[in-house]
């Protein structure tokens, strides 16, 4: 029916104090393990065998297992396109068709940062020139960037760029 299966995700940006880790997490580590039944490859004397059924156990713990140890915790709900550009896959092969995109790659992360930078300047009142606007142009040749040393989330841009024409591509 087109409805999302999951409405949120954890991008694993967790910030803990050293005191919390020292005083709460480390003393409770033994209680944080989960038993996972795994297919563990083994050497049988001549070859490596990968079992088809679980043959061993693995003790696992996850970064979010410490949440219950926290006395205070905050969850932030953010826009993916503003805060999360994962890099999990290799970049697009040189010479490959631009219509072939690799998801969650350096290419897509660079494009997401470029689009964010363009949005921030437009929100500050800038008029972008040469901005890609056709379906044929994926914008990869128009990489734009606002350094986080200049502005992290658009703050301070309005004073400098409101009403100003800015030619794409740009680096600010």
């Amino acid at each position: 029916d087109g409805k999302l299966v999951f409405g949120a995700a954890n991008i694993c940006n967790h910030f803990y104090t050293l005191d919390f880790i020292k005083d709460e997490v480390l003393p409770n580590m033994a209680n944080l393990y989960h038993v996972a039944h795994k297919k563990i490859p083994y050497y049988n004397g001549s070859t490596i065998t990968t079992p088809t059924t679980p043959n061993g156990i693995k003790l696992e713990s996850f970064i979010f297992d410490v949440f219950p140890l926290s006395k205070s915790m905050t969850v932030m709900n953010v826009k993916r396109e503003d805060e999360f550009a994962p890099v999990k896959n290799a970049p697009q092969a040189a010479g490959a068709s631009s219509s072939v995109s690799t998801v969650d790659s350096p290419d897509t992360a660079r494009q997401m940062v470029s689009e964010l930078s363009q949005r921030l300047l437009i929100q500050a009142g800038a008029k972008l020139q040469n901005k890609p606007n056709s379906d044929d142009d994926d914008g990869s040749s128009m990489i734009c960037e606002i350094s986080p040393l200049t502005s992290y989330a658009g703050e301070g841009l309005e004073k400098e760029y409101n009403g100003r024409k800015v030619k794409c591509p740009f680096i600010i």
Side-chain angles (χ1 to χ4, degrees):
D1 66 358
K3 186 177 178 185
L4 291 174
V5 175
F6 302 105
N10 184 339
I11 62 173
C12 294
N13 284 346
H14 304 144
F15 302 95
Y16 303 117
T17 65
L18 290 176
D19 286 341
F20 173 70
I21 292 170
K22 181 181 67 158
D23 299 337
E24 301 295 332
V25 176
L26 293 178
N28 290 292
M29 282 297 293
N31 300 326
L32 298 178
Y33 289 105
H34 310 276
V35 173
H37 298 274
K38 299 287 186 174
K39 299 174 193 172
I40 303 172
Y42 60 91
Y43 183 71
N44 68 8
S46 60
T47 61
I48 295 177
T49 301
T50 302
T52 57
T53 59
N55 65 334
I57 62 169
K58 180 179 173 185
L59 295 177
E60 298 179 334
S61 63
F62 304 100
I63 190 73
F64 44 79
D65 286 334
V66 302
F67 289 179
L69 301 175
S70 176
K71 292 178 181 65
S72 65
M73 188 175 127
T74 300
V75 174
M76 296 174 61
N77 187 11
V78 298
K79 291 181 178 179
R80 184 185 205 274
E81 63 270 15
D82 290 347
E83 299 290 339
F84 187 54
V87 176
K88 300 185 286 184
N89 299 307
Q92 181 173 312
S97 166
S98 63
S99 64
V100 177
S101 84
T102 302
V103 178
D104 295 343
S105 70
D107 300 318
T108 58
R110 185 180 305 109
Q111 189 61 37
M112 290 175 77
V113 168
S114 179
E115 291 168 1
L116 172 62
S117 296
Q118 292 173 41
R119 282 195 310 276
L120 292 175
L121 269 190
I122 291 169
Q123 290 168 5
K127 308 292 183 213
L128 299 186
Q129 308 286 298
N130 299 343
K131 186 175 186 300
N133 57 8
S134 73
D135 292 336
D136 297 334
D137 189 348
D138 66 1
S140 60
S141 63
M142 291 289 191
I143 297 300
C144 303
E145 183 177 351
I146 298 172
S147 167
L149 298 175
T150 301
S151 178
Y152 179 76
E155 67 281 347
L157 294 176
E158 190 172 316
K159 182 173 75 171
E160 179 77 23
Y161 294 98
N162 188 19
R164 186 171 156 193
K165 293 179 182 178
V166 177
K167 187 177 178 181
C168 295
F170 61 80
I171 297 176
I172 297 175

